[in-house]
Amino acid sequence: MKNIYLAFMAAILCIANVHGQKVISNGFPGVGVVNGTNYIRTGTIGTMNNSFVAASSTMGFASNVWDSTLYFIDMANETITDSIKHYVQDMEVRGDTLYAISGAYLLRIRISTKAIIDSVMVSTHPYRLELCPGADEAWLSDSTQVYIVSNLTGSMTVSSFKAGVDQYDNSPIRFTKGGSIAYKAATITHRVYKIDAANKTITDSVDIPGGNNSGVAVSSDSSKMYVSNTNDFKIYVIKTSDMTLMDSINSPREPFEMYTHPTRAEMWCVNHFDDSVTVYKESDNSELAAIDLPPSPHIIAFVYGNTGVNDVAGKIDGVLYPNPGTKQLHVSLPVGGVYSIGLYDNAGKMIQSLHTKQPVTTLQVADLPAGMYHINITNDKGAQQHLQWVKYE
């Protein structure tokens, strides 16, 4: 019996290692795939040159700006399933929508149909894109300006405010988990701005020693911020409460873009010239792993749906009522989360989509024909739930 138990546990650990949370990177060529549970590079998808990547719970997305192609990747099988011819730069996923920069525009691309829904002109050349947690907004970095695209699920509108003084102060924006505070690194002027996300106002800033500040990440508890300095091979650690320098990490590799792991207290730093990503433990800034990637990486994306034993993104436990129903559909959700809700017909066409923090959200469904419908729910921690609902006359 003991041998059977040990064999069973070994099988579980093997499955966890094989099917741990996946992380993808851009590359020249290919999309790198990393097992985020055991920090091992597991393969490369495709042979195309990719400048940007993004991921949903089951899909990966890679853009080749040279031949204006956006690739769709089935992450379960790690295969390219489709592509569309369109120039796409930085991109992020929310629900069934891929938000992507294309030249001067922000695009909305429906993932299920692989079709561009619409677009809005943002600025002359927006560079980086970040979706604001808990708000129906996309923030785009463009030299001295931050552009806000509001009402992402409706008629998109654009506003802006200044956060930089040089045309190359267009580094990525990162939010605290709840989305109340944003941080923007200004590459040329060596400064990081702290921004009140609700009021769109700069509340503080800090000057970073040395040269080229390429990336910024916020710790999982929002108590500190990491800022990379490629010239000095350093990562500076900033105390967010008063924006003071509290520590620094000497990196053997040139640090560029940085990301906070969605479910663990880890910071992942991409080393563009060293074809790798380094994982740091937030509690003491120690190095956990260094993982090789395809040549010239600078973007990574976490695939939320592929989780191992240590990567639980949480459970949603949403409830629909009445089910069956006629005029209104109520969606009851756990308190304290930020949720994306999508209502689809039985053919997979999206009928409604919205974002909410409310414990009970009501959908007006009186005009829908009788039949079976599907509700997909995603929260801000990456957990998903699929429910079925029946409409009757």
Side-chain angles (χ1 to χ4, degrees), residues 322-335:
N323 190 10
T326 54
K327 296 181 180 180
Q328 291 184 327
L329 169 60
H330 305 291
V331 185
S332 176
L333 298 164
V335 175

Side-chain angles (χ1 to χ4, degrees), residues 70-106:
L70 174 64
Y71 295 93
F72 295 78
I73 302 168
D74 179 347
M75 288 310 306
N77 300 311
E78 297 182 13
T79 56
I80 298 170
T81 59
D82 209 344
S83 65
I84 60 174
K85 295 295 290 185
H86 206 87
Y87 180 79
V88 168
Q89 298 158 266
D90 202 10
M91 50 190 168
E92 292 285 341
V93 177
R94 181 172 283 175
D96 190 42
T97 304
L98 180 70
Y99 296 92
I101 295 174
S102 179
Y105 293 83
L106 178 68

Side-chain angles (χ1 to χ4, degrees), residues 22 31-32 60 99 103 107 158 225 246 252 264 282 286 297 300 393:
K22 295 178 181 178
V31 173
Y99 296 92
L107 306 180
V158 181
M225 173 178 56
M246 60 184 293
R264 299 198 302 262
E282 287 184 0
S286 61
I300 63 172
E393 299 293 350

Side-chain angles (χ1 to χ4, degrees), residues 22-79:
K22 295 178 181 178
V23 185
I24 60 174
S25 76
N26 75 305
F28 298 83
V31 173
V33 183
V34 170
N35 183 322
T37 302
N38 59 17
Y39 312 115
I40 294 175
R41 163 93 172 276
T42 59
T44 303
I45 302 171
T47 58
M48 61 286 191
N49 292 329
N50 304 292
S51 293
F52 296 92
V53 292
S56 69
S57 60
T58 57
M59 296 290 295
F61 309 90
S63 70
N64 184 333
V65 298
W66 288 272
D67 68 0
S68 297
T69 303
L70 174 64
Y71 295 93
F72 295 78
I73 302 168
D74 179 347
M75 288 310 306
N77 300 311
E78 297 182 13
T79 56

Side-chain angles (χ1 to χ4, degrees), residues 204-237:
D204 205 347
S205 66
V206 59
D207 290 325
I208 305 299
N212 191 14
N213 303 317
S214 295
V216 61
V218 185
S219 65
S220 56
D221 64 0
S222 302
S223 66
K224 57 187 178 181
M225 173 178 56
Y226 299 92
V227 184
S228 63
N229 184 317
T230 59
N231 291 354
D232 293 345
F233 286 71
K234 280 185 178 291
I235 299 171
Y236 292 101
V237 186

Side-chain angles (χ1 to χ4, degrees), residues 197-383:
N199 299 319
K200 280 66 176 181
T201 55
I202 295 172
T203 60
D204 205 347
S205 66
V206 59
D207 290 325
I208 305 299
N212 191 14
N213 303 317
S214 295
V216 61
V218 185
S219 65
S220 56
D221 64 0
S222 302
S223 66
K224 57 187 178 181
M225 173 178 56
Y226 299 92
V227 184
S228 63
N229 184 317
T230 59
N231 291 354
D232 293 345
F233 286 71
K234 280 185 178 291
I235 299 171
Y236 292 101
V237 186
I238 308 298
K239 185 179 178 182
T240 56
S241 59
D242 58 8
M243 295 292 279
T244 58
L245 179 65
M246 60 184 293
D247 200 358
S248 65
I249 303 169
N250 292 316
S251 172
R253 311 160 195 92
E254 287 186 83
F256 274 74
E257 303 281 1
M258 295 189 296
Y259 300 82
T260 304
H261 192 283
T263 59
R264 299 198 302 262
E266 297 174 356
M267 187 272 288
W268 289 51
C269 178
V270 181
N271 312 302
H272 176 65
F273 292 124
D274 295 278
D275 304 339
S276 62
V277 60
T278 308
V279 184
Y280 293 94
K281 188 177 180 181
E282 287 184 0
S283 60
D284 58 8
N285 302 325
S286 61
E287 182 178 314
L288 290 172
I291 312 160
D292 72 297
L293 295 175
S296 302
H298 64 101
I299 304 291
I300 63 172
F302 297 93
V303 183
Y304 288 87
N306 302 93
T307 55
V309 292
N310 297 319
D311 300 300
V312 179
K315 210 176 168 186
I316 293 182
D317 289 330
V319 177
L320 306 178
Y321 65 94
N323 190 10
T326 54
K327 296 181 180 180
Q328 291 184 327
L329 169 60
H330 305 291
V331 185
S332 176
L333 298 164
V335 175
V338 180
Y339 302 93
S340 297
I341 302 173
L343 172 65
Y344 301 80
D345 65 18
N346 214 28
K349 179 182 178 183
M350 176 174 278
I351 307 300
Q352 295 183 39
S353 67
L354 57 90
H355 303 287
T356 183
K357 297 180 182 178
Q358 301 303 315
V360 178
T361 297
T362 301
L363 306 180
Q364 302 300 326
V365 293
D367 295 335
L368 295 180
M372 174 74 75
Y373 291 86
H374 302 267
I375 291 84
N376 287 337
I377 306 170
T378 306
N379 70 10
D380 54 341
K381 295 180 177 62

Side-chain angles (χ1 to χ4, degrees), residues 96-133:
D96 190 42
T97 304
L98 180 70
Y99 296 92
I101 295 174
S102 179
Y105 293 83
L106 178 68
L107 306 180
R108 281 196 299 208
I109 301 173
R110 184 72 68 222
I111 296 171
S112 56
T113 61
K114 302 177 179 66
I116 297 173
I117 307 167
D118 59 5
S119 64
V120 62
M121 184 173 181
V122 178
S123 70
T124 54
H125 194 271
Y127 178 60
R128 297 304 305 272
L129 163 68
E130 193 81 4
L131 298 180
C132 179

